[in-house]
Amino acid sequence: MIFSSFEFFVFFAVVFIYRWYINPLLFPEENKETRAAHYFLLFASYFFYMSWDYRFGALIFLSTIIDYALGIAISKTESQKQKKSYLLASILLNLVFILGFFKYYTFLTSNANALFKSAGLSYSFPLVHIILPVGISFFTFQSLSYTIDVYRGVIPYEKDFVRFALFVSFFPQLVAGPIVTAKTFLPQLAEKIRFEDVPFRIAIRFFMLGYFKKVLIADNAAPIVDMVFKCPWDYGADACWVGAILFVIQIYGDFSGYSDMAYGSALLLGYKLPENFRLPYLAKSVTEFWGMRWHMSLSIWIRDYVYIPLGGSRVSYFRHKFNIWFTMLLAGIWHGAAWTFVIWGAIQGFVIIIESWIVEARTKLFPSWQPDTSKVIRLCKIVFTFLLITFICSWFRATSVDMEIVMIKQMLSFEKKGLRVFMYNRFLILTGITIIGHYLGYKIFEAKKTWQISKRVEFASYTLLVLVFALYTNDNETPFIYFAF
């Protein structure tokens, strides 16, 4: 059940009607109404998650019980040593037992077996076919943020098991983010939410925008991307660059589209999720891309729970650079169990360090330098950063290291083996839409331009948008890319 499917619209309509119309009638008392709403949303969230595979429900329930119990244990004990042991248990159970086994066991054992074989050893780990639960990386990080923040004293432990279970499993962002931390979401569950406070216009705008990104941009880019990355040796430099550029457009439309629809769906139910994207292809450096614009909830999570505990910038010069590189390496490993993701994360870490060296050298050599004073320079930086990100992200899309090496060779070659004309036309259209979208987003959100649109005109336009969606939606339903993470 994905956000762009008919099944989800039926499901969400039932959830919305019950939440705001039936539940208040059945439970007119304020406290009971809120409590009943939590029970219902918890049930709906488990139903949504188990619609992929009913066995997934047991896993998320196990993760919930573990961190709920350990949160209480951390809060109740007076011994700092015991607190650390409970926190360590939470980290090991979440990262090793749950995430490590289901996501990385096959990758680690197959590489270990290959190493044993090359060393002439007969021993090998048993290979087990493990179904990867959708969104396991997201709900594991969310649940883990709770025990860490309870240990730090940032938040009190949650007494109500239903509220905690709803925090872990809340369906709008459950399978593909954004990553929600306990300190931002649990307080919302303690508040009384009124139907009159729901920002319907904002919620519908986000959902429609997300649907547009997913269905009209990402799904229309996917066939060309799949074709080029499947057999890169069949294409020349121009076609491979088209495939690589369309991939970064696809993953932006797909992932930010999901985040927008998740944000809109949560708002319609009375809850606010964190911002996850901020016009990423306007970044003037890879540092800005990750620090301020792309998958911001992951960047913030890694900053708060990995980078700062490692010492952040409050360490020696070279240790600080290592911390930066190591956190990006972990971001790569978090995304998937393959060497391509490891290399992708490591490369971005190196690029961010190189950018910091350039800034440091420029500051020393030219103290009065004023960056970004020229629109031409800013545009050049944006284009260069986009092409650099495109080149690096080909590692993200590649199915293996060998395939990526072929892709890079073709991208850097002068060989000309192109695509069909209609594919180039689709590339120009999707690229143009992305550029226009970022320009309008910049005007609205960063240049603070405002346009007053009447409610009648706005809601009337939704009818036209639904017609456009119906006409240009692919017949084949394409799952969201980040369901695999």
Side-chain angles (χ1 to χ4, degrees):
M1 190 192 308
I2 66 174
F3 285 170
S4 55
S5 67
F6 176 75
E7 291 82 0
F8 177 78
F9 287 109
V10 174
F11 165 78
F12 190 81
V14 172
V15 172
F16 182 85
I17 291 170
Y18 182 90
R19 171 67 184 92
W20 294 117
Y21 293 96
I22 298 176
N23 193 66
L25 291 177
L26 296 177
F27 305 94
E29 296 181 25
E30 183 175 308
N31 292 335
K32 290 184 178 180
E33 193 274 333
T34 301
R35 181 70 173 168
H38 290 164
Y39 272 105
F40 174 74
L41 289 175
L42 179 60
F43 169 79
S45 296
Y46 268 79
F47 177 84
F48 175 83
Y49 190 60
M50 292 169 68
S51 66
W52 276 278
D53 190 318
Y54 70 91
R55 292 171 292 183
F56 293 169
L59 182 63
I60 195 171
F61 186 67
L62 175 63
S63 177
T64 302
I65 289 178
I66 288 172
D67 286 317
Y68 177 74
L70 288 173
I72 294 175
I74 290 171
S75 184
K76 293 291 186 180
T77 185
E78 297 295 330
S79 169
Q80 190 64 27
K81 185 177 180 180
Q82 278 294 101
K83 287 179 183 287
K84 285 185 178 180
S85 64
Y86 289 135
L87 176 62
L88 181 61
S90 175
I91 293 172
L92 291 176
L93 289 171
N94 278 286
L95 298 184
V96 178
F97 176 68
I98 296 178
L99 190 60
F101 176 75
F102 282 94
K103 190 167 183 175
Y104 300 104
Y105 177 82
T106 302
F107 171 69
L108 293 173
T109 52
S110 60
N111 279 278
N113 291 344
L115 184 63
F116 292 152
K117 186 177 180 180
S118 65
L121 300 176
S122 59
Y123 179 80
S124 63
F125 291 104
L127 294 177
V128 183
H129 178 67
I130 301 171
I131 299 175
L132 181 65
V134 292
I136 185 171
S137 297
F138 290 93
F139 72 73
T140 302
F141 270 29
Q142 287 181 193
S143 185
L144 187 57
S145 75
Y146 167 74
T147 51
I148 295 174
D149 282 341
V150 170
Y151 171 80
R152 291 176 173 177
V154 175
I155 57 173
Y157 77 95
E158 178 56 60
K159 299 177 182 178
D160 191 326
F161 178 77
V162 172
R163 281 208 298 250
F164 180 75
L166 181 56
F167 149 68
V168 176
S169 63
F170 187 50
F171 74 87
Q173 45 65 236
L174 174 60
V175 294
I179 299 172
V180 178
T181 56
K183 60 188 175 186
T184 60
F185 195 76
L186 280 174
Q188 295 185 57
L189 296 177
E191 298 175 358
K192 167 63 179 174
I193 303 169
R194 300 183 305 168
F195 182 74
E196 295 79 10
D197 296 331
V198 175
F200 284 98
R201 293 181 74 181
I202 296 175
I204 294 173
R205 286 174 186 172
F206 268 97
F207 194 91
M208 297 290 276
L209 178 61
Y211 193 94
F212 178 87
K213 290 178 181 178
K214 164 61 178 169
V215 173
L216 268 72
I217 296 179
D219 288 359
N220 281 293
I224 301 175
V225 173
D226 293 343
M227 186 172 63
V228 172
F229 277 89
K230 184 179 181 181
C231 304
W233 50 81
D234 287 340
Y235 302 98
D238 57 339
C240 286
W241 273 101
V242 165
I245 291 172
L246 280 179
F247 173 66
V248 296
I249 290 175
Q250 178 198 3
I251 196 171
Y252 168 68
D254 192 281
F255 191 19
S256 73
Y258 182 96
S259 296
D260 289 344
M261 286 190 275
Y263 190 87
S265 300
L267 276 183
L268 289 172
L269 297 175
Y271 302 102
K272 188 175 182 180
L273 301 180
E275 183 182 8
N276 211 24
F277 290 87
R278 189 178 294 170
L279 305 171
Y281 298 141
L282 291 182
K284 297 183 287 296
S285 66
V286 176
T287 304
E288 180 185 341
F289 179 80
W290 275 102
M292 299 172 55
R293 295 185 180 276
W294 180 270
H295 203 348
M296 295 159 62
S297 63
L298 175 63
S299 299
I300 292 170
W301 198 99
I302 291 178
R303 180 198 68 193
D304 291 349
Y305 301 108
V306 178
Y307 176 72
I308 292 176
L310 285 174
S313 60
R314 305 180 310 277
V315 289
S316 66
Y317 179 83
F318 289 105
R319 175 60 187 273
H320 173 222
K321 301 303 180 186
F322 172 80
N323 290 346
I324 293 173
W325 177 82
F326 185 68
T327 53
M328 291 309 303
L329 176 68
L330 287 182
I333 295 172
W334 177 87
H335 276 84
W339 284 112
T340 50
F341 293 109
V342 176
I343 296 170
W344 172 72
I347 290 173
Q348 294 195 102
F350 282 125
V351 171
I352 291 173
I353 291 173
I354 292 170
E355 289 179 345
S356 70
W357 285 340
I358 292 172
V359 172
E360 291 167 6
R362 188 182 63 200
T363 303
K364 289 181 179 179
L365 295 173
F366 309 101
S368 60
W369 176 273
Q370 295 295 326
D372 303 335
T373 55
S374 167
K375 290 183 179 180
V376 175
I377 292 176
R378 289 203 299 270
L379 181 60
C380 289
K381 285 184 175 182
I382 290 170
V383 173
F384 176 79
T385 301
F386 176 79
L387 293 176
L388 179 59
I389 289 169
T390 298
F391 190 77
I392 296 172
C393 280
S394 62
W395 281 99
F396 189 99
R397 178 59 180 79
T399 54
S400 68
V401 174
D402 292 338
M403 292 289 279
E404 174 58 12
I405 291 173
V406 174
M407 183 71 177
I408 292 173
K409 286 181 178 178
Q410 294 302 102
M411 291 173 74
L412 299 178
S413 73
F414 293 98
E415 191 175 4
K416 187 172 178 60
K417 289 190 289 185
L419 304 169
R420 297 177 184 176
V421 174
F422 84 90
M423 295 180 179
Y424 283 110
N425 292 337
R426 181 176 293 186
F427 164 74
L428 293 174
I429 292 170
L430 294 177
T431 304
I433 291 173
T434 304
I435 292 171
I436 293 170
H438 273 65
Y439 176 77
L440 293 176
Y442 169 77
K443 287 293 185 182
I444 295 170
F445 297 108
E446 296 191 8
K448 304 300 181 183
K449 286 274 187 179
T450 58
W451 289 279
Q452 295 298 328
I453 304 174
S454 69
K455 292 181 181 179
R456 291 184 179 181
V457 172
E458 181 177 342
F459 281 92
S461 68
Y462 293 150
T463 306
L464 178 61
L465 282 174
V466 170
L467 177 62
V468 172
F469 292 160
L471 290 173
Y472 292 98
T473 297
N474 281 335
D475 293 334
N476 297 325
E477 192 175 87
T478 307
F480 287 90
I481 294 172
Y482 267 69
F483 279 8
F485 307 133

